């Protein structure tokens, strides 16, 4: 096994790839703000070594970790106990060592997204929402969205993945596969993009009559430059658009809350990250 420096960090992000993650910067700002000793590093985990390496880290010096793509499902199975929301999502983005005895798995993506949508005033009860994608990120946020009484339509390249999500979540609210013909004379209040970065969108990939001039568009992806989804939104003259940097900060804040019992302030950190 590759040697890791055991002494100088106590929280981590596990993923692959991990090189451009902003999470260490966010957690460093939380640590400074709260004056809690919280040293957070990203660790690139080889694809077939999640369980081996994460066990090693928790047996040594790590107290908690975030988990990102492609390991959220493995983290779900790795956890000894689960929060209610992680149990329902079947996906874990936050691990915590409890009483030196067991690993608790949680998922803060849903509360992270909802907090940012509320900050932006992009969501209301009973909204009709189109969600693009059916991967780990969407799986993590559906419970929060459905809990607001919103109607959710899922559009995904691999229809069977979308069907699996509908089956997983239909007991928690109104969720369906997106089918154009079911939606005549209706429009979406909000579109959430949970597809991978850098997909190229053709202007007509969704019929434009499904949007009004007041539709909100939110991309879970983020970057200093506009994401390809946001460029598509601008091409179709969308008025209300946002990337997912706020979601990233809020989900991190809720992981910090799980680990340390304090919810850090977030607004000024979102502003910093938008500029750096
Ligand atoms: N802001 C935040 O805090 C936050 C949190 C979580 C995730 N994210 C971002 O959200 C994005 C999705 O993450 P994830 O964990 O859900 O990833 P994932 O599990 O790998 O899911 C990827 C999704 O993109 C679709 N997709 C991939 N390549 C495609 C292509 N060429 N054409 C059409 N569809 C394609 C997949 O469809 P198939 O089912 O057909 O493969 C699937 O729906 C990532 O970019 C991630 O960085 C942001």
């Amino acid at each position: 096994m590759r040697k890791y420096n055991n002494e100088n960090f106590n929280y981590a992000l596990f993923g692959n790839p991990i090189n451009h993650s902003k999470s260490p910067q966010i957690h460093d700002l939380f640590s400074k703000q709260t004056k809690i000793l919280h040293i957070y590093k990203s660790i690139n985990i080889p694809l077939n070594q999640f369980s081996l390496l994460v066990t090693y880290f928790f047996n040594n010096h790590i107290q908690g970790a975030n988990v990102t793509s492609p390991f959220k499902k493995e983290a779900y199975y790795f956890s000894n106990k689960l929060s209610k929301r992680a149990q329902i999502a079947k996906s874990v983005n936050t691990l915590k060592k409890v009483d030196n005895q067991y690993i608790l798995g949680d998922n803060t993506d849903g509360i992270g997204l909802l907090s940012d949508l509320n900050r932006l005033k992009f969501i209301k009860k009973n909204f009709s929402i189109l969600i693009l994608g059916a991967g780990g990120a969407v799986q993590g946020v559906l419970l929060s969205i459905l809990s607001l009484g919103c109607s959710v339509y899922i559009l995904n390249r691999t229809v069977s993945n979308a069907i699996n999500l509908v089956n997983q979540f239909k007991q928690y609210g109104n969720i369906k596969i997106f089918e154009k013909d079911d939606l005549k004379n209706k429009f979406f209040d909000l579109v959430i993009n949970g597809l991978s970065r850098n997909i190229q969108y053709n202007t007509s990939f969704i019929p434009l009559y499904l949007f009004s001039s007041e539709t909100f568009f939110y991309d879970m992806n983020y970057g200093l430059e506009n994401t390809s989804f946001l460029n598509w939104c601008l091409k179709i003259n969308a008025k209300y658009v946002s990337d997912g940097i706020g979601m990233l900060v809020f989900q991190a804040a809720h992981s910090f809350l799980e680990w340390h019992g304090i919810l850090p302030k977030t607004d000024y950190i979102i502003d910093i990250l938008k500029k750096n």
Side-chain angles (χ1 to χ4, degrees), residues 132 139 153 190 192 205 225 273:
L132 307 176
Q139 194 174 18
Y153 295 80
L190 168 64
I192 298 172
F205 91 107
E225 313 229 313
L273 291 184

Side-chain angles (χ1 to χ4, degrees), residues 53-93:
L53 284 178
V54 176
T55 303
Y56 164 81
F57 284 118
F58 274 105
N59 282 342
N60 284 279
H61 53 294
I62 291 266
Q63 298 301 311
N66 284 129
V67 178
T68 188
S69 182
F71 298 121
K72 288 181 184 178
K73 180 61 85 186
E74 277 187 74
Y76 166 77
Y77 289 112
F78 179 85
S79 305
N80 306 116
K81 291 191 183 175
L82 293 162
S83 66
K84 187 83 195 289
R85 57 195 177 187
Q87 202 177 344
I88 292 169
K90 296 188 169 43
S91 163
V92 160
N93 80 335

